[in-house]
Amino acid sequence: MSLGERPIFLYHQIGDYPPAQMEYGVTPASFRAHLDFMTEAGFEVVELEAMLRLLYGKFPRLERVTIYGGPLDIQEKTPDELVRLRKAGLTMVYFGLESGSDEVLRRVKKGAKADTMKETGRKAKEAGRTRSPKCILGPGGTE
């Protein structure tokens, strides 16, 4: 694998998402179908850890690599996986916290509760990762 030979489609992995996420069409089967399509279209499919090694090897002055990861994506990773990705050079994870209110999170169909959001931040911190939670102002309405 090297940069420039073929377009690259990057992924880490997908597990069994909870039913709340299934309504968005994100299932292991649909994800594998996307991987098959990208491969047939000529993309090289690369796991995140391998891509990190490639990037840091190709660009020795590279200082950081960041990624967006939904709270449920982070929750499905084991502590060992998160540490391994950190050691491979993934320095920061942005995730959509959106709100600390379970009601607002339900309204925006986040698929997680406030306690899960707190646990996500804690889990990322314990893996040595800088976190950057994103909040949305106003999704709860005027009540």
Side-chain angles (χ1 to χ4, degrees):
M1 170 184 56
S2 66
L3 294 176
E5 292 177 10
R6 295 188 330 191
I8 293 176
F9 177 73
L10 174 66
Y11 78 102
H12 180 53
Q13 66 186 26
I14 187 167
D16 293 323
Y17 277 83
Q21 289 293 330
M22 299 281 184
E23 68 185 88
Y24 301 109
V26 179
T27 66
S30 67
F31 185 77
R32 281 189 282 286
H34 284 101
L35 290 180
D36 290 344
F37 172 79
M38 298 304 278
T39 301
E40 290 170 12
F43 283 76
E44 183 173 354
V45 178
V46 179
E47 287 192 9
L48 178 56
E49 196 170 343
M51 176 57 79
L52 290 166
R53 285 191 299 272
L54 174 70
L55 288 170
Y56 282 100
K58 183 80 170 175
F59 303 103
R61 293 176 40 195
L62 183 62
E63 293 181 10
R64 67 181 168 269
V65 174
T66 63
I67 195 168
Y68 177 84
L72 297 174
D73 298 322
I74 296 167
Q75 283 298 320
E76 79 173 16
K77 304 292 180 275
T78 67
D80 288 342
E81 287 175 307
L82 292 172
V83 168
R84 218 173 52 238
L85 289 171
R86 174 66 185 106
K87 287 180 178 177
L90 185 62
T91 56
M92 183 184 295
V93 176
Y94 298 94
F95 69 92
L97 174 65
E98 320 314 4
S99 174
S101 161
D102 285 341
E103 176 59 22
V104 171
L105 292 170
R106 185 191 64 75
R107 285 183 186 180
V108 298
K109 299 181 180 178
K110 190 65 184 176
K113 293 188 174 188
D115 286 345
T116 302
M117 301 302 202
K118 284 193 268 184
E119 172 63 18
T120 297
R122 184 199 59 73
K123 190 174 183 180
K125 181 180 180 181
E126 286 178 359
R129 187 150 292 108
T130 301
R131 298 145 302 148
S132 181
K134 305 299 178 194
C135 296
I136 298 175
L137 301 176
T142 58
E143 301 92 59

